[in-house]
Amino acid sequence: MTAPAPDSPVVLRVAGRPVARYVTRPELPARLSPRPCLHPVTTLAGTVVTEFSPADHTHHLGVGVAVPDVEGHNFWGGRTYVRDRGPTELDDHGVQRHCSFQLRDPDGFIEELRWVASGTELLRERRTVAATELTSTAWALDFTFSLTNVTSGPLSIGSPATNGRPGAAYGGFFWRARKEATPPDAFTAATEGEAAVHGARADWLALTGPGSPRTAGAGNGAGWTLVFAGATDATRRDPWLVRTAEYPGVGSSLAGAARLPIPPGETAVRRIVTVVADGRLDRDEAAALVRKAVSQ
């Protein structure tokens, strides 16, 4: 069998079924901050639960890591939020460059990346991704990224929130979910609704969608659920970014109330585990599956 090209897409499989495709070099305009990403991601029944460069936000690229402010450089894509000016088109976009795979298997990979802006490498990333079966209708995507400051000086990560836009602390792991006619529901163990869960530091957060006849495949005939867990200790648990009304998306916020400093040679590490399930899970079902996923 011929070995795949070093930077060709990776297809992740669970129980023999393809559930995600990872593209290392998406061909995109510079203003979208090109970066490796997972799309499409599907449930075990085949329902697609991601979107890539949708019309409402062309810089939303499936599942990956995106940061709007790395020492003044945009690795999120689109307009940059400028204090006292608002969203502004700037020529400040960086790119995440795939270097190599240290490991590449059907159930996961380890990748090395370089974060480059204006010809200078700012961060070196190691990304570890694994796909595991949980039940006959659910699997887990385990996503860890480590960002190391490779410059000779201090470096910090910011967000529109730290730059003057309240409630917009996006930047870090980000999952752009599929947009349907009816917005998805969002809930944690204790609260529900976008307004209540956005910005929360909950152990886990669920997003559940209605599905449609052409994509339904769960036992009840419709629906999908994503359950996100920030699998770090409580002192480093980032706030959740949650959107349902404007668009469906969930992310972690590296820079919530303040910028995240990364001194020279030091590393920031985050792990997000996501349950991908057919059907609309309730709180007890979501909690049980995410506990199983995180402990694997």
Side-chain angles (χ1 to χ4, degrees):
M1 180 179 294
T2 303
D7 58 354
S8 64
V10 179
V11 177
L12 298 180
R13 296 178 180 274
V14 172
R17 308 177 193 178
V19 293
R21 185 173 186 266
Y22 186 73
V23 180
T24 60
R25 302 179 188 275
E27 296 183 3
L28 295 167
R31 72 172 301 277
L32 300 185
S33 296
R35 53 193 181 272
C37 61
L38 289 151
H39 176 79
V41 178
T42 74
T43 67
L44 288 174
T47 300
V48 176
V49 289
T50 54
E51 286 201 30
F52 180 88
S53 196
D56 56 54
H57 289 78
T58 54
H59 51 283
H60 289 179
L61 309 179
V63 180
V65 184
V67 177
D69 180 354
V70 179
E71 204 60 32
H73 300 280
N74 184 340
F75 288 86
W76 176 268
R79 294 178 296 174
T80 298
Y81 188 84
V82 179
R83 188 182 296 274
D84 299 326
R85 289 176 59 188
T88 306
E89 286 285 354
L90 297 176
D91 184 18
D92 63 347
H93 296 90
V95 61
Q96 295 174 19
R97 293 179 179 168
H98 165 80
C99 295
S100 63
F101 286 112
Q102 305 302 306
L103 173 72
R104 178 182 170 134
D105 288 329
D107 62 350
F109 59 86
I110 300 174
E111 181 189 24
E112 298 286 340
L113 304 98
R114 300 169 61 226
W115 290 45
V116 178
S118 300
T120 300
E121 183 178 1
L122 303 177
L123 296 167
R124 180 69 57 90
E125 179 189 348
R126 169 162 284 203
R127 184 173 297 185
T128 303
V129 177
T132 57
E133 184 178 12
L134 298 175
T135 70
S136 62
T137 58
W139 64 281
L141 181 73
D142 195 329
F143 193 116
T144 299
F145 62 98
S146 305
L147 301 175
T148 300
N149 178 357
V150 294
T151 73
S152 59
L155 178 153
S156 68
I157 288 174
S159 68
T162 63
N163 293 334
R165 182 185 173 191
Y170 51 82
F173 172 87
F174 182 69
W175 187 304
R176 171 58 198 253
R178 79 180 264 124
K179 192 170 187 176
E180 299 177 289
T182 302
D185 296 321
F187 60 89
T188 67
T191 59
E192 62 183 84
E194 178 179 342
V197 302
H198 175 68
R201 295 179 184 267
D203 292 346
W204 58 266
L205 170 99
L207 198 70
T208 181
S212 59
R214 66 184 175 85
T215 60
N220 63 7
W224 51 266
T225 303
L226 304 172
V227 191
F228 304 88
T232 56
D233 62 80
T235 60
R236 291 191 297 129
R237 188 169 294 134
D238 298 319
W240 292 108
L241 166 82
V242 183
R243 296 286 188 264
T244 59
E246 180 184 2
Y247 65 84
V250 171
S252 59
S253 301
L254 292 175
R259 298 183 70 89
L260 173 68
I262 307 178
E266 295 198 12
T267 303
V269 182
R270 296 293 189 272
R271 177 188 175 208
I272 305 291
V273 179
T274 307
V275 173
V276 183
D278 284 293
R280 292 172 61 87
L281 303 182
D282 62 25
R283 277 194 171 87
D284 291 341
E285 292 168 329
L289 280 176
V290 84
R291 282 196 300 269
K292 183 177 182 180
V294 171
S295 64
Q296 288 189 342

